[in-house]
Amino acid sequence: MPETKTDAFQDSYPKYATLYVPASAINDYKTKAPWSEFGTIKAIDGGEAKKCATPTISYGNKVLTFSCETEGVEYVYEIKDTDIKKGYDKEVNLSATYEISVYATKSGYENSNVATATLVWTRGTFTETAPDDPTSAKAMQIDTPVLISTNNGAITVKGELDGQAVTVYSAEGKLLGSDSISGGQATINTTLEAGSIAIVKIGQRAVKVMMK
């Protein structure tokens, strides 16, 4: 990739021009000034570089996993932990909530769209039968991780324990739908638009998520 001064195109109008570059370096040109100032950047062969597929986010066995239909990609992720705080109060409320974002990148390809998810630990009440007395049962509370993602108005909750109730409300408290985790997943379709806030209640835990 050639080097030049960042103000090399100061007296011109690159945003109205098209820059043709090697397909293998198109992402570098799109992210580094002054080349990124061009309104259109295309591969030398005359077409746009292929775009990486949007990755998926999974969690299981205490491991966060990214996968992508485009082979050979690298993952660029960011994880924000709402429990990482600095303050002066005598009490700190811990919520164990992780906001995850990731995109896929590969030489010669455009970066993928960003995938997001919220990883939380919920406490649900389940029934357990005593092994020495199959006619009796006791209630027990289990902390279990769930992964929440949104896409085109749908909210998907993935969890390791089937049977957890999932309920979705609007930010105003209107009930939008409910389901229970079955086969490791529950999906609730809503009419919420991208950028709006939904409240997802799982067991005894309520979490705010932004729709995509």
Side-chain angles (χ1 to χ4, degrees):
M1 181 176 178
E3 297 288 339
T4 189
K5 295 181 180 179
T6 56
D7 60 353
F9 306 112
Q10 184 175 359
D11 296 325
S12 58
Y13 299 93
K15 65 180 179 179
Y16 300 114
T18 299
L19 178 66
Y20 290 88
V21 302
S24 61
I26 194 168
N27 281 333
D28 294 331
Y29 280 93
K30 286 185 174 183
T31 57
K32 186 172 182 179
W35 316 110
S36 57
E37 297 174 7
F38 280 79
T40 303
I41 300 178
K42 292 185 176 182
I44 287 177
D45 61 8
E48 292 282 357
K50 294 181 180 179
K51 188 172 184 177
C52 294
T54 303
T56 58
I57 305 171
S58 302
Y59 181 84
N61 298 321
K62 300 181 180 180
V63 176
L64 191 65
T65 304
F66 307 124
S67 59
C68 183
E69 293 180 358
T70 306
E71 296 182 357
V73 302
E74 294 182 345
Y75 300 100
V76 181
Y77 62 86
E78 181 178 9
I79 301 175
K80 297 180 180 179
D81 181 358
T82 59
D83 285 342
I84 298 177
K85 306 172 183 178
K86 181 178 180 180
Y88 303 93
D89 299 328
K90 68 176 183 179
E91 294 182 351
V92 180
N93 293 321
L94 301 179
S95 61
T97 300
Y98 298 88
E99 300 292 343
I100 304 159
S101 62
V102 60
Y103 66 88
T105 184
K106 181 179 180 179
S107 179
Y109 285 67
E110 286 190 38
N111 293 343
S112 73
N113 294 334
V114 176
T116 61
T118 302
L119 178 63
V120 298
W121 271 256
T122 67
R123 172 154 287 194
T125 301
F126 299 88
T127 300
E128 180 185 63
T129 302
D132 56 344
D133 185 1
T135 63
S136 68
K138 64 179 180 179
M140 59 184 298
Q141 287 190 325
I142 301 175
D143 288 321
T144 177
V146 294
L147 191 70
I148 307 170
S149 58
T150 66
N151 185 43
N152 293 328
I155 297 175
T156 300
V157 179
K158 297 180 180 179
E160 297 176 346
L161 291 176
D162 286 355
Q164 273 192 303
V166 179
T167 310
V168 176
Y169 300 88
S170 68
E172 295 76 27
K174 179 182 177 181
L175 176 64
L176 299 178
S178 61
D179 197 358
S180 60
I181 296 177
S182 177
Q185 180 174 307
T187 299
I188 298 174
N189 293 308
T190 76
T191 57
L192 295 176
E193 297 180 353
S196 58
I197 299 296
I199 300 173
V200 183
K201 186 176 181 182
I202 311 154
Q204 300 178 7
R205 182 75 183 276
V207 182
K208 289 184 179 179
V209 297
M210 180 175 291
M211 302 299 296
K212 285 192 66 178

